[in-house]
Amino acid sequence: MRVEYINPFVEASYNILKEVLNSEVVRGELYLKSSSTPVLGVAALVGLAGDVEGRVLFDMTKDTAIGIASIMNGEKLTVLDELGKATITELANLITAQAVTKLHDLGFKFDLTPPALFTGENMEISNSQVEALIVPMKLSCGKIEINVAIRERA
Amino acid sequence: MSNAAGSLVLDGADQKEGQEHNNQIDFKMVTFSLSGKDYGIDIMKIKEIAKFSSFTYVPNSAPYVRGVYNLRGDIISILDLRILFHLPVDKKAENEETQNGLILSLDENVIGVVVDSIDKVIGFSSAGIQPPHPIFGDINIKYISGVVENEGRLYIILNAERICAKDDSVRKAADSALPAAADTAAAAVSAETYQEPQSYGNSLAAEPERDFIRETLKTFKGFSITPVNEEWFTGRFAEWKEKKKQQGADLQLKSADDADEYLASYYSADTGRFWEDDTAARYTRALAAQSGKIIQAWSIGSGKGFEAYSFAAILARKYPGVMLKVWAHDNDLLAISTAPNLVFNDDELPEFLGPYIVMGKNGSSFQTEFKNKIFFEYHDALHPNSLPELDFIMARDVLPFFSQEDQARLFAEFHEKLKPTGLLFLGDNEKPLDSSRWAPVSGARAVYKKS
């Protein structure tokens, strides 16, 4: 993945998470992965198109998702209901949109697709044809792994 | 950006701290096996590695005493560790003429031990040795001085003194019962009936040293010696041995600094900085005329970008008017992140880079138009990539940082991605793994094409 793409995603994730959760966020070490990755339980996916093709996946456990949704809505949620799901979807949208805006300022043209949310047990995401950058974020209510896979259009 | 960059540096520091434990190799041992398990004895206690052929049986000795042996005129007693530790003895090995053994040199006596097979010499930090655990039931815990893990194998370190101390006390007891049994037996057999042990002497003693350097390079620098660079390693080992002999210093590499010194002559001309004009000229000569409209190149392990910029510059000069694309990859995030915005002082810049440089407030940098030809990517070369067919692959001095298995995968990838007329550039001391698929380009050093 081009190094110019990395920072916008890292910064956008950090800024948005810190802002919406209103608490400290710690970024873990970035790494690359090309094998299939288990999904923790809740995954929000945003597709990218334009100069490039790819996707951004926000992966977290159900408990973390409920925790985030509770903080963002200012009320204690106990299950991941429609409101909770909409909140996580919106979070994915916020982060990706800010990253794409930053990339636009650097001269790269990206479009994004509306986010989709997946929930379930024992899910796996396959990265077999493209290498993914993993940005782990530690939050007060758990961790989110941001999985960015982008390649130039041939 | 400052936020992210700051924490990147912190991550680096954390990693270093973690690695500090295996920074100093201060314990070496010879490893061997006894009924399938791995054991080791401190190399300082070992006089030599030998093959024993015939022992002189000593009547009335303990069962684990195999007999006495004439070691170039000295009579030493030989113990069988397998019997001492109540381990099964392979009958087949028993009947063979020669048996593997170690000759231990302790404070006062020299003693031989028979083992199943000698493995190799390994080195590690003594901080990694763990105390023996009562669970190692095969062997009485008093003979064990510790346990260490090395490359996924668990070695039990034996305490040579204790093993032989036991022998001493037993021998004394035996002596008192049967006065001077050993001496009598030894004296009774004339010198002609002894056979000299086939001592490995100098030739084989050198091999563990060589293997040991091989392993320390791997430990300290992640640097593999494979057929890619075996030829260089052989030459360098002889040179290094001679140098250390003259200095009267220890042959082995004790720290990362030693390993760097050892590898100093490995790296190709101008690695890790901008190429000098003569290096650039040398590579330019290897480039053939191209008729295509697009030239696509891949530079692996570009680090901070010096290699990729130099390479792109000679391609841009050689093929003016052609659309040039260079993919520059590295899996060191911190290094490759600085590459697109590389700023430098142009005091001693080589001439061939001149046309592509602009002066800025903080120093010189490359023209945007030139930079746009190079795609710096954070990428692990072992992962799938979306590269098109390539005209050139620049992989100088990166292959040793992959295992031989991974090198084979990379060469297969190179072969697949390279156009039939394409060129592969390796480091000055490197050659392809599979020589049947690659042919050297005449008149150029370490440049190959598909055969």
Side-chain angles (χ1 to χ4, degrees), chain A residues 8-40:
Chain A
F9 280 101
V10 174
E11 279 174 46
S13 314
Y14 183 84
N15 294 343
I16 299 276
L17 285 171
K18 201 169 162 171
E19 200 179 310
V20 300
L21 299 176
N22 206 8
S23 68
E24 202 45 51
V25 173
V26 181
R27 183 178 63 71
E29 199 171 333
L30 310 187
Y31 60 98
L32 293 168
K33 212 169 197 176
S34 76
S35 49
S36 294
T37 319
V39 172
L40 298 173

PDB file of all heavy atoms in Angstrom, chain A residues 8-40:
ATOM      1  N   PRO A   8      -3.319   9.261   6.437  1.00  0.00           N
ATOM      2  CA  PRO A   8      -4.700   9.750   6.502  1.00  0.00           C
ATOM      3  C   PRO A   8      -5.631   8.793   7.257  1.00  0.00           C
ATOM      4  O   PRO A   8      -6.442   9.240   8.069  1.00  0.00           O
ATOM      5  CB  PRO A   8      -5.098   9.868   5.037  1.00  0.00           C
ATOM      6  CG  PRO A   8      -3.812  10.154   4.343  1.00  0.00           C
ATOM      7  CD  PRO A   8      -2.770   9.376   5.091  1.00  0.00           C
ATOM      8  N   PHE A   9      -5.466   7.498   7.038  1.00  0.00           N
ATOM      9  CA  PHE A   9      -6.342   6.555   7.727  1.00  0.00           C
ATOM     10  C   PHE A   9      -6.033   6.487   9.221  1.00  0.00           C
ATOM     11  O   PHE A   9      -6.930   6.458  10.049  1.00  0.00           O
ATOM     12  CB  PHE A   9      -6.249   5.162   7.095  1.00  0.00           C
ATOM     13  CG  PHE A   9      -7.073   5.053   5.851  1.00  0.00           C
ATOM     14  CD1 PHE A   9      -6.496   5.133   4.602  1.00  0.00           C
ATOM     15  CD2 PHE A   9      -8.452   4.904   5.937  1.00  0.00           C
ATOM     16  CE1 PHE A   9      -7.259   5.067   3.457  1.00  0.00           C
ATOM     17  CE2 PHE A   9      -9.236   4.836   4.795  1.00  0.00           C
ATOM     18  CZ  PHE A   9      -8.627   4.924   3.546  1.00  0.00           C
ATOM     19  N   VAL A  10      -4.741   6.473   9.529  1.00  0.00           N
ATOM     20  CA  VAL A  10      -4.354   6.402  10.935  1.00  0.00           C
ATOM     21  C   VAL A  10      -4.837   7.650  11.676  1.00  0.00           C
ATOM     22  O   VAL A  10      -5.448   7.575  12.744  1.00  0.00           O
ATOM     23  CB  VAL A  10      -2.822   6.248  11.055  1.00  0.00           C
ATOM     24  CG1 VAL A  10      -2.390   6.332  12.504  1.00  0.00           C
ATOM     25  CG2 VAL A  10      -2.371   4.941  10.439  1.00  0.00           C
ATOM     26  N   GLU A  11      -4.582   8.810  11.069  1.00  0.00           N
ATOM     27  CA  GLU A  11      -4.967  10.063  11.724  1.00  0.00           C
ATOM     28  C   GLU A  11      -6.467  10.189  11.862  1.00  0.00           C
ATOM     29  O   GLU A  11      -6.965  10.574  12.923  1.00  0.00           O
ATOM     30  CB  GLU A  11      -4.465  11.253  10.902  1.00  0.00           C
ATOM     31  CG  GLU A  11      -3.021  11.566  11.133  1.00  0.00           C
ATOM     32  CD  GLU A  11      -2.565  12.649  10.170  1.00  0.00           C
ATOM     33  OE1 GLU A  11      -3.299  13.646  10.017  1.00  0.00           O
ATOM     34  OE2 GLU A  11      -1.518  12.467   9.544  1.00  0.00           O
ATOM     35  N   ALA A  12      -7.199   9.881  10.784  1.00  0.00           N
ATOM     36  CA  ALA A  12      -8.653  10.011  10.830  1.00  0.00           C
ATOM     37  C   ALA A  12      -9.230   9.089  11.906  1.00  0.00           C
ATOM     38  O   ALA A  12     -10.099   9.504  12.693  1.00  0.00           O
ATOM     39  CB  ALA A  12      -9.253   9.699   9.463  1.00  0.00           C
ATOM     40  N   SER A  13      -8.725   7.854  11.980  1.00  0.00           N
ATOM     41  CA  SER A  13      -9.240   6.919  12.988  1.00  0.00           C
ATOM     42  C   SER A  13      -8.997   7.463  14.387  1.00  0.00           C
ATOM     43  O   SER A  13      -9.884   7.469  15.238  1.00  0.00           O
ATOM     44  CB  SER A  13      -8.537   5.566  12.885  1.00  0.00           C
ATOM     45  OG  SER A  13      -8.471   5.150  11.562  1.00  0.00           O
ATOM     46  N   TYR A  14      -7.774   7.942  14.582  1.00  0.00           N
ATOM     47  CA  TYR A  14      -7.392   8.437  15.901  1.00  0.00           C
ATOM     48  C   TYR A  14      -8.242   9.645  16.288  1.00  0.00           C
ATOM     49  O   TYR A  14      -8.830   9.692  17.379  1.00  0.00           O
ATOM     50  CB  TYR A  14      -5.899   8.792  15.863  1.00  0.00           C
ATOM     51  CG  TYR A  14      -5.338   9.242  17.177  1.00  0.00           C
ATOM     52  CD1 TYR A  14      -4.917   8.309  18.118  1.00  0.00           C
ATOM     53  CD2 TYR A  14      -5.238  10.598  17.478  1.00  0.00           C
ATOM     54  CE1 TYR A  14      -4.404   8.711  19.332  1.00  0.00           C
ATOM     55  CE2 TYR A  14      -4.725  11.014  18.691  1.00  0.00           C
ATOM     56  CZ  TYR A  14      -4.310  10.070  19.622  1.00  0.00           C
ATOM     57  OH  TYR A  14      -3.812  10.470  20.820  1.00  0.00           O
ATOM     58  N   ASN A  15      -8.325  10.614  15.369  1.00  0.00           N
ATOM     59  CA  ASN A  15      -9.051  11.849  15.683  1.00  0.00           C
ATOM     60  C   ASN A  15     -10.522  11.598  15.961  1.00  0.00           C
ATOM     61  O   ASN A  15     -11.078  12.059  16.957  1.00  0.00           O
ATOM     62  CB  ASN A  15      -8.939  12.844  14.519  1.00  0.00           C
ATOM     63  CG  ASN A  15      -7.510  13.315  14.348  1.00  0.00           C
ATOM     64  OD1 ASN A  15      -6.698  13.162  15.264  1.00  0.00           O
ATOM     65  ND2 ASN A  15      -7.195  13.855  13.190  1.00  0.00           N
ATOM     66  N   ILE A  16     -11.156  10.845  15.058  1.00  0.00           N
ATOM     67  CA  ILE A  16     -12.606  10.637  15.193  1.00  0.00           C
ATOM     68  C   ILE A  16     -12.917   9.824  16.456  1.00  0.00           C
ATOM     69  O   ILE A  16     -13.795  10.185  17.240  1.00  0.00           O
ATOM     70  CB  ILE A  16     -13.171   9.906  13.954  1.00  0.00           C
ATOM     71  CG1 ILE A  16     -12.932  10.735  12.700  1.00  0.00           C
ATOM     72  CG2 ILE A  16     -14.637   9.561  14.152  1.00  0.00           C
ATOM     73  CD1 ILE A  16     -13.936  11.803  12.403  1.00  0.00           C
ATOM     74  N   LEU A  17     -12.165   8.759  16.679  1.00  0.00           N
ATOM     75  CA  LEU A  17     -12.454   7.925  17.852  1.00  0.00           C
ATOM     76  C   LEU A  17     -12.289   8.731  19.138  1.00  0.00           C
ATOM     77  O   LEU A  17     -13.090   8.657  20.058  1.00  0.00           O
ATOM     78  CB  LEU A  17     -11.539   6.698  17.880  1.00  0.00           C
ATOM     79  CG  LEU A  17     -11.893   5.598  16.878  1.00  0.00           C
ATOM     80  CD1 LEU A  17     -10.808   4.543  16.835  1.00  0.00           C
ATOM     81  CD2 LEU A  17     -13.245   4.964  17.235  1.00  0.00           C
ATOM     82  N   LYS A  18     -11.231   9.522  19.166  1.00  0.00           N
ATOM     83  CA  LYS A  18     -10.961  10.308  20.356  1.00  0.00           C
ATOM     84  C   LYS A  18     -12.090  11.311  20.590  1.00  0.00           C
ATOM     85  O   LYS A  18     -12.538  11.524  21.720  1.00  0.00           O
ATOM     86  CB  LYS A  18      -9.635  11.055  20.167  1.00  0.00           C
ATOM     87  CG  LYS A  18      -9.026  11.471  21.470  1.00  0.00           C
ATOM     88  CD  LYS A  18      -7.630  11.953  21.286  1.00  0.00           C
ATOM     89  CE  LYS A  18      -7.282  12.754  22.527  1.00  0.00           C
ATOM     90  NZ  LYS A  18      -5.918  13.127  22.604  1.00  0.00           N
ATOM     91  N   GLU A  19     -12.568  11.887  19.486  1.00  0.00           N
ATOM     92  CA  GLU A  19     -13.600  12.915  19.588  1.00  0.00           C
ATOM     93  C   GLU A  19     -14.948  12.322  20.012  1.00  0.00           C
ATOM     94  O   GLU A  19     -15.565  12.806  20.951  1.00  0.00           O
ATOM     95  CB  GLU A  19     -13.724  13.588  18.227  1.00  0.00           C
ATOM     96  CG  GLU A  19     -14.375  14.945  18.268  1.00  0.00           C
ATOM     97  CD  GLU A  19     -14.411  15.513  16.860  1.00  0.00           C
ATOM     98  OE1 GLU A  19     -13.366  15.517  16.175  1.00  0.00           O
ATOM     99  OE2 GLU A  19     -15.504  15.932  16.440  1.00  0.00           O
ATOM    100  N   VAL A  20     -15.350  11.239  19.349  1.00  0.00           N
ATOM    101  CA  VAL A  20     -16.697  10.734  19.646  1.00  0.00           C
ATOM    102  C   VAL A  20     -16.747   9.990  20.980  1.00  0.00           C
ATOM    103  O   VAL A  20     -17.786   9.971  21.638  1.00  0.00           O
ATOM    104  CB  VAL A  20     -17.263   9.828  18.527  1.00  0.00           C
ATOM    105  CG1 VAL A  20     -17.347  10.574  17.218  1.00  0.00           C
ATOM    106  CG2 VAL A  20     -16.464   8.561  18.385  1.00  0.00           C
ATOM    107  N   LEU A  21     -15.657   9.382  21.386  1.00  0.00           N
ATOM    108  CA  LEU A  21     -15.678   8.634  22.638  1.00  0.00           C
ATOM    109  C   LEU A  21     -15.295   9.515  23.810  1.00  0.00           C
ATOM    110  O   LEU A  21     -15.470   9.145  24.971  1.00  0.00           O
ATOM    111  CB  LEU A  21     -14.738   7.428  22.574  1.00  0.00           C
ATOM    112  CG  LEU A  21     -15.085   6.399  21.504  1.00  0.00           C
ATOM    113  CD1 LEU A  21     -14.047   5.308  21.458  1.00  0.00           C
ATOM    114  CD2 LEU A  21     -16.467   5.805  21.780  1.00  0.00           C
ATOM    115  N   ASN A  22     -14.690  10.662  23.479  1.00  0.00           N
ATOM    116  CA  ASN A  22     -14.294  11.609  24.499  1.00  0.00           C
ATOM    117  C   ASN A  22     -13.392  10.965  25.564  1.00  0.00           C
ATOM    118  O   ASN A  22     -13.524  11.217  26.747  1.00  0.00           O
ATOM    119  CB  ASN A  22     -15.543  12.212  25.158  1.00  0.00           C
ATOM    120  CG  ASN A  22     -15.240  13.584  25.715  1.00  0.00           C
ATOM    121  OD1 ASN A  22     -14.151  14.108  25.473  1.00  0.00           O
ATOM    122  ND2 ASN A  22     -16.178  14.146  26.447  1.00  0.00           N
ATOM    123  N   SER A  23     -12.497  10.097  25.123  1.00  0.00           N
ATOM    124  CA  SER A  23     -11.550   9.503  26.065  1.00  0.00           C
ATOM    125  C   SER A  23     -10.266   9.153  25.322  1.00  0.00           C
ATOM    126  O   SER A  23     -10.177   9.295  24.107  1.00  0.00           O
ATOM    127  CB  SER A  23     -12.137   8.251  26.717  1.00  0.00           C
ATOM    128  OG  SER A  23     -12.258   7.248  25.746  1.00  0.00           O
ATOM    129  N   GLU A  24      -9.301   8.692  26.083  1.00  0.00           N
ATOM    130  CA  GLU A  24      -7.979   8.415  25.496  1.00  0.00           C
ATOM    131  C   GLU A  24      -8.050   7.221  24.537  1.00  0.00           C
ATOM    132  O   GLU A  24      -8.714   6.229  24.804  1.00  0.00           O
ATOM    133  CB  GLU A  24      -6.988   8.125  26.635  1.00  0.00           C
ATOM    134  CG  GLU A  24      -5.537   8.348  26.266  1.00  0.00           C
ATOM    135  CD  GLU A  24      -5.293   9.650  25.500  1.00  0.00           C
ATOM    136  OE1 GLU A  24      -5.737  10.744  25.938  1.00  0.00           O
ATOM    137  OE2 GLU A  24      -4.666   9.566  24.431  1.00  0.00           O
ATOM    138  N   VAL A  25      -7.344   7.352  23.408  1.00  0.00           N
ATOM    139  CA  VAL A  25      -7.270   6.282  22.421  1.00  0.00           C
ATOM    140  C   VAL A  25      -5.794   5.997  22.191  1.00  0.00           C
ATOM    141  O   VAL A  25      -5.000   6.919  22.050  1.00  0.00           O
ATOM    142  CB  VAL A  25      -7.935   6.728  21.100  1.00  0.00           C
ATOM    143  CG1 VAL A  25      -7.717   5.701  20.010  1.00  0.00           C
ATOM    144  CG2 VAL A  25      -9.408   6.985  21.316  1.00  0.00           C
ATOM    145  N   VAL A  26      -5.415   4.721  22.199  1.00  0.00           N
ATOM    146  CA  VAL A  26      -4.006   4.373  21.994  1.00  0.00           C
ATOM    147  C   VAL A  26      -3.882   3.562  20.720  1.00  0.00           C
ATOM    148  O   VAL A  26      -4.592   2.577  20.527  1.00  0.00           O
ATOM    149  CB  VAL A  26      -3.461   3.546  23.180  1.00  0.00           C
ATOM    150  CG1 VAL A  26      -1.979   3.220  22.958  1.00  0.00           C
ATOM    151  CG2 VAL A  26      -3.644   4.295  24.478  1.00  0.00           C
ATOM    152  N   ARG A  27      -2.982   4.007  19.861  1.00  0.00           N
ATOM    153  CA  ARG A  27      -2.788   3.274  18.626  1.00  0.00           C
ATOM    154  C   ARG A  27      -1.730   2.189  18.819  1.00  0.00           C
ATOM    155  O   ARG A  27      -0.661   2.442  19.356  1.00  0.00           O
ATOM    156  CB  ARG A  27      -2.324   4.210  17.507  1.00  0.00           C
ATOM    157  CG  ARG A  27      -2.189   3.490  16.170  1.00  0.00           C
ATOM    158  CD  ARG A  27      -1.789   4.426  15.061  1.00  0.00           C
ATOM    159  NE  ARG A  27      -0.486   5.023  15.257  1.00  0.00           N
ATOM    160  CZ  ARG A  27       0.655   4.371  15.165  1.00  0.00           C
ATOM    161  NH1 ARG A  27       0.661   3.072  14.924  1.00  0.00           N
ATOM    162  NH2 ARG A  27       1.807   4.985  15.334  1.00  0.00           N
ATOM    163  N   GLY A  28      -2.045   0.979  18.394  1.00  0.00           N
ATOM    164  CA  GLY A  28      -1.069  -0.104  18.448  1.00  0.00           C
ATOM    165  C   GLY A  28      -0.150  -0.046  17.242  1.00  0.00           C
ATOM    166  O   GLY A  28      -0.272   0.847  16.401  1.00  0.00           O
ATOM    167  N   GLU A  29       0.725  -1.016  17.143  1.00  0.00           N
ATOM    168  CA  GLU A  29       1.685  -1.021  16.041  1.00  0.00           C
ATOM    169  C   GLU A  29       1.029  -1.476  14.744  1.00  0.00           C
ATOM    170  O   GLU A  29       0.284  -2.442  14.716  1.00  0.00           O
ATOM    171  CB  GLU A  29       2.840  -1.957  16.389  1.00  0.00           C
ATOM    172  CG  GLU A  29       4.059  -1.680  15.566  1.00  0.00           C
ATOM    173  CD  GLU A  29       5.260  -2.466  16.068  1.00  0.00           C
ATOM    174  OE1 GLU A  29       5.297  -2.781  17.271  1.00  0.00           O
ATOM    175  OE2 GLU A  29       6.123  -2.759  15.248  1.00  0.00           O
ATOM    176  N   LEU A  30       1.327  -0.767  13.662  1.00  0.00           N
ATOM    177  CA  LEU A  30       0.744  -1.123  12.372  1.00  0.00           C
ATOM    178  C   LEU A  30       1.444  -2.360  11.813  1.00  0.00           C
ATOM    179  O   LEU A  30       2.625  -2.544  12.023  1.00  0.00           O
ATOM    180  CB  LEU A  30       0.948   0.012  11.363  1.00  0.00           C
ATOM    181  CG  LEU A  30       0.564   1.426  11.780  1.00  0.00           C
ATOM    182  CD1 LEU A  30       0.672   2.358  10.589  1.00  0.00           C
ATOM    183  CD2 LEU A  30      -0.843   1.468  12.332  1.00  0.00           C
ATOM    184  N   TYR A  31       0.706  -3.162  11.100  1.00  0.00           N
ATOM    185  CA  TYR A  31       1.349  -4.280  10.411  1.00  0.00           C
ATOM    186  C   TYR A  31       0.573  -4.680   9.169  1.00  0.00           C
ATOM    187  O   TYR A  31      -0.529  -4.179   8.926  1.00  0.00           O
ATOM    188  CB  TYR A  31       1.554  -5.469  11.351  1.00  0.00           C
ATOM    189  CG  TYR A  31       0.300  -6.047  11.957  1.00  0.00           C
ATOM    190  CD1 TYR A  31      -0.298  -7.175  11.411  1.00  0.00           C
ATOM    191  CD2 TYR A  31      -0.278  -5.470  13.077  1.00  0.00           C
ATOM    192  CE1 TYR A  31      -1.452  -7.711  11.959  1.00  0.00           C
ATOM    193  CE2 TYR A  31      -1.432  -6.005  13.628  1.00  0.00           C
ATOM    194  CZ  TYR A  31      -2.013  -7.120  13.078  1.00  0.00           C
ATOM    195  OH  TYR A  31      -3.157  -7.638  13.627  1.00  0.00           O
ATOM    196  N   LEU A  32       1.185  -5.551   8.381  1.00  0.00           N
ATOM    197  CA  LEU A  32       0.582  -5.974   7.118  1.00  0.00           C
ATOM    198  C   LEU A  32       0.128  -7.415   7.232  1.00  0.00           C
ATOM    199  O   LEU A  32       0.728  -8.209   7.937  1.00  0.00           O
ATOM    200  CB  LEU A  32       1.622  -5.891   5.995  1.00  0.00           C
ATOM    201  CG  LEU A  32       2.108  -4.500   5.624  1.00  0.00           C
ATOM    202  CD1 LEU A  32       3.325  -4.595   4.726  1.00  0.00           C
ATOM    203  CD2 LEU A  32       1.010  -3.726   4.924  1.00  0.00           C
ATOM    204  N   LYS A  33      -0.925  -7.729   6.515  1.00  0.00           N
ATOM    205  CA  LYS A  33      -1.460  -9.080   6.579  1.00  0.00           C
ATOM    206  C   LYS A  33      -1.997  -9.461   5.211  1.00  0.00           C
ATOM    207  O   LYS A  33      -2.585  -8.628   4.526  1.00  0.00           O
ATOM    208  CB  LYS A  33      -2.607  -9.072   7.586  1.00  0.00           C
ATOM    209  CG  LYS A  33      -2.774 -10.358   8.325  1.00  0.00           C
ATOM    210  CD  LYS A  33      -3.730 -10.129   9.457  1.00  0.00           C
ATOM    211  CE  LYS A  33      -3.652 -11.218  10.487  1.00  0.00           C
ATOM    212  NZ  LYS A  33      -4.515 -10.933  11.614  1.00  0.00           N
ATOM    213  N   SER A  34      -1.807 -10.705   4.822  1.00  0.00           N
ATOM    214  CA  SER A  34      -2.405 -11.082   3.539  1.00  0.00           C
ATOM    215  C   SER A  34      -3.168 -12.389   3.650  1.00  0.00           C
ATOM    216  O   SER A  34      -3.677 -12.895   2.675  1.00  0.00           O
ATOM    217  CB  SER A  34      -1.338 -11.207   2.469  1.00  0.00           C
ATOM    218  OG  SER A  34      -0.638 -12.400   2.626  1.00  0.00           O
ATOM    219  N   SER A  35      -3.244 -12.914   4.869  1.00  0.00           N
ATOM    220  CA  SER A  35      -3.992 -14.154   5.027  1.00  0.00           C
ATOM    221  C   SER A  35      -5.422 -13.828   5.452  1.00  0.00           C
ATOM    222  O   SER A  35      -5.748 -12.684   5.706  1.00  0.00           O
ATOM    223  CB  SER A  35      -3.312 -15.014   6.080  1.00  0.00           C
ATOM    224  OG  SER A  35      -3.067 -14.242   7.212  1.00  0.00           O
ATOM    225  N   SER A  36      -6.237 -14.844   5.560  1.00  0.00           N
ATOM    226  CA  SER A  36      -7.603 -14.630   6.005  1.00  0.00           C
ATOM    227  C   SER A  36      -7.602 -14.234   7.474  1.00  0.00           C
ATOM    228  O   SER A  36      -6.807 -14.734   8.254  1.00  0.00           O
ATOM    229  CB  SER A  36      -8.422 -15.893   5.833  1.00  0.00           C
ATOM    230  OG  SER A  36      -8.545 -16.161   4.467  1.00  0.00           O
ATOM    231  N   THR A  37      -8.467 -13.315   7.829  1.00  0.00           N
ATOM    232  CA  THR A  37      -8.471 -12.792   9.181  1.00  0.00           C
ATOM    233  C   THR A  37      -9.809 -13.080   9.830  1.00  0.00           C
ATOM    234  O   THR A  37     -10.838 -12.817   9.229  1.00  0.00           O
ATOM    235  CB  THR A  37      -8.315 -11.256   9.128  1.00  0.00           C
ATOM    236  OG1 THR A  37      -7.351 -10.954   8.146  1.00  0.00           O
ATOM    237  CG2 THR A  37      -7.915 -10.703  10.453  1.00  0.00           C
ATOM    238  N   PRO A  38      -9.811 -13.598  11.038  1.00  0.00           N
ATOM    239  CA  PRO A  38     -11.087 -13.770  11.711  1.00  0.00           C
ATOM    240  C   PRO A  38     -11.687 -12.402  12.054  1.00  0.00           C
ATOM    241  O   PRO A  38     -10.966 -11.466  12.358  1.00  0.00           O
ATOM    242  CB  PRO A  38     -10.742 -14.546  12.980  1.00  0.00           C
ATOM    243  CG  PRO A  38      -9.280 -14.623  13.058  1.00  0.00           C
ATOM    244  CD  PRO A  38      -8.674 -14.024  11.848  1.00  0.00           C
ATOM    245  N   VAL A  39     -12.962 -12.297  11.973  1.00  0.00           N
ATOM    246  CA  VAL A  39     -13.650 -11.063  12.324  1.00  0.00           C
ATOM    247  C   VAL A  39     -14.180 -11.246  13.741  1.00  0.00           C
ATOM    248  O   VAL A  39     -14.688 -12.303  14.092  1.00  0.00           O
ATOM    249  CB  VAL A  39     -14.792 -10.793  11.321  1.00  0.00           C
ATOM    250  CG1 VAL A  39     -15.652  -9.640  11.769  1.00  0.00           C
ATOM    251  CG2 VAL A  39     -14.218 -10.528   9.949  1.00  0.00           C
ATOM    252  N   LEU A  40     -14.016 -10.216  14.547  1.00  0.00           N
ATOM    253  CA  LEU A  40     -14.308 -10.364  15.969  1.00  0.00           C
ATOM    254  C   LEU A  40     -15.794 -10.544  16.286  1.00  0.00           C
ATOM    255  O   LEU A  40     -16.146 -11.079  17.319  1.00  0.00           O
ATOM    256  CB  LEU A  40     -13.758  -9.167  16.733  1.00  0.00           C
ATOM    257  CG  LEU A  40     -12.237  -8.973  16.660  1.00  0.00           C
ATOM    258  CD1 LEU A  40     -11.828  -7.673  17.300  1.00  0.00           C
ATOM    259  CD2 LEU A  40     -11.507 -10.140  17.315  1.00  0.00           C
TER     260      LEU A  40
END
